[in-house]
Amino acid sequence: MIRFLRNKEIDRQKWDATLACSNQSTLFAQSWYLDVVSPNWCALVRGDYEEIFPLPVKNKLGFKYLVQPNFTQQLGLFSCKKKPLPADEWINFIKKKYRRFDFCLNTQNTIKILEAEPLSNCELPLQDSYETLKSNYATRVKRNLKKSYKADLQQITLEEFIKLKLQNRNGLPSKMYDIIPKLYAAFLKNGVQILLVGLRKDELLAGNLFVIFENRLIGLSGVSSPVGRKHLATFTIIDHLIKKYSSSDMVLDFKGGKMEGTKLFFLGFGAVEKTYFRVSRKF
């Protein structure tokens, strides 16, 4: 039987233990990560945490609803079962409890609901040599790398990264970046390796925040200045990271979504698409 648990009722030790043995394990569903991005998150649980489903709850004027948090790509159903997990039963439970919801499942969840929207996650396994990986770059990527600014990657500070984000937020509200320092602190506390790298040419041209979780190099956020875009700085950053982690068991997780231009950029580096679903009901 599926049970609903409020935030304070969730046994975080059991929760994270299920994720640790899960074939669907992801950074975004770790209890400490959810505590940062969705402080009032609740959960659906079956049995003694054999199956778990995080609920990113928000409250507006007493009206509770579910919404996918910023910097959180996939949630959904998790279990130690080593097979794809059908999520329809859990979605039906959510439909009865919440009038409004908008969240994403993970790539190991299956669903029959017609209104589910397929999205793409772009991943690049890095087992091959750099030469082999580079040979799979699209022609346009190889061409842009020849034209891009050539420099070694540098470690940049969190303050520099956020400043560049705020200067180039393209109309996005500045408050959405308030969570980055909180996530940074949570990564340090929980032993997650952080890669905060950038390119400079007199000024900071571009910066990217990656973290290493299990065997995945996850791109959480990136930004380029107008000068950085002119110099194709992000092409150089991605190429450097592929070279650094080539011939390893790592997977470069670009993330993705539904923005066609972003997806094509990642696929140009040889990434493959993995489908996950967005489920929503709005009024």
Side-chain angles (χ1 to χ4, degrees):
M1 183 177 72
I2 297 175
R3 295 180 291 132
F4 170 79
L5 298 178
R6 295 177 177 84
N7 184 276
K8 64 182 180 181
E9 298 172 326
I10 299 167
D11 185 322
R12 282 161 168 73
Q13 186 173 356
K14 289 184 177 181
W15 181 275
D16 290 337
T18 297
L19 287 173
C21 73
S22 169
N23 195 41
Q24 311 85 29
S25 181
T26 175
L27 168 70
F28 308 117
Q30 302 298 312
S31 63
W32 55 266
Y33 193 97
L34 289 167
D35 285 340
V36 176
V37 298
S38 182
N40 297 313
W41 67 284
C42 298
L44 301 180
V45 171
R46 194 197 299 275
D48 191 22
Y49 289 76
E50 282 89 3
E51 297 179 58
I52 58 176
F53 196 119
L55 302 176
V57 178
K58 294 198 77 172
N59 189 327
K60 186 174 183 179
L61 301 176
F63 178 73
K64 294 182 179 180
Y65 60 100
L66 306 182
V67 63
Q68 192 78 5
N70 291 327
F71 301 100
T72 307
Q73 186 200 35
Q74 299 176 39
L75 293 175
L77 178 59
F78 300 89
S79 170
C80 292
K81 298 176 182 177
K82 305 298 183 183
K83 59 182 180 180
L85 299 174
D88 296 270
E89 179 185 6
W90 301 77
I91 302 301
N92 288 333
F93 189 104
I94 289 169
K95 284 183 173 180
K96 294 175 183 177
K97 188 166 184 64
Y98 296 97
R99 293 177 58 197
R100 178 185 170 193
F101 50 82
D102 187 351
F103 60 87
C104 295
L105 303 175
N106 62 70
T107 57
Q108 297 298 312
N109 294 163
T110 61
I111 191 168
K112 297 178 181 178
I113 298 172
L114 295 177
E115 60 266 30
E117 177 186 6
L119 301 175
S120 294
N121 190 57
C122 298
E123 304 177 3
L124 177 62
L126 298 173
Q127 293 95 327
D128 291 331
S129 67
Y130 172 65
E131 290 72 21
T132 299
L133 292 169
K134 190 172 183 178
S135 70
N136 292 324
Y137 289 2
T139 301
R140 56 186 166 78
V141 171
K142 294 176 181 177
R143 183 172 59 247
N144 283 330
L145 280 171
K146 289 181 180 179
K147 297 187 294 183
S148 65
Y149 177 62
K150 304 298 188 295
D152 291 333
L153 292 191
Q154 296 182 7
Q155 294 285 338
I156 62 175
T157 67
L158 181 61
E159 291 73 20
E160 287 178 306
F161 180 70
I162 293 175
K163 181 180 179 180
L164 192 62
K165 291 287 285 187
L166 292 173
Q167 290 172 340
N168 299 275
R169 54 193 176 93
N170 298 320
L172 294 173
S174 59
K175 66 179 182 180
M176 76 174 290
Y177 301 121
D178 292 345
I179 200 170
I180 294 178
K182 297 176 183 177
L183 280 174
Y184 193 92
F187 295 147
L188 293 175
K189 182 179 179 180
N190 289 279
V192 175
Q193 185 177 344
I194 304 167
L195 295 176
L196 193 48
V197 295
L199 280 184
R200 298 182 192 276
K201 185 182 181 183
D202 300 325
E203 62 184 65
L204 186 60
L205 301 179
N208 281 78
L209 172 60
F210 284 83
V211 295
I212 295 178
F213 182 76
E214 296 178 349
N215 73 323
R216 301 181 81 82
L217 177 61
I218 304 169
L220 281 182
S221 185
V223 61
S224 291
S225 70
V227 177
R229 288 191 289 274
K230 179 181 177 181
H231 287 285
L232 305 169
T234 302
F235 284 88
T236 301
I237 291 175
I238 299 300
D239 182 60
H240 271 288
L241 289 173
I242 290 173
K243 185 175 184 179
K244 179 177 180 178
Y245 290 98
S246 61
S247 301
S248 73
D249 65 350
M250 299 289 290
V251 174
L252 178 50
D253 189 341
F254 291 105
K255 299 206 280 71
K258 66 176 182 178
M259 294 179 64
E260 198 64 26
T262 302
K263 182 173 73 173
L264 288 175
F265 174 77
F266 296 146
L267 294 177
F269 285 92
V272 295
E273 292 184 74
K274 297 288 184 69
T275 300
Y276 64 102
F277 291 94
R278 176 183 179 185
V279 183
S280 63
R281 180 168 69 185
K282 301 178 181 179
F283 293 93

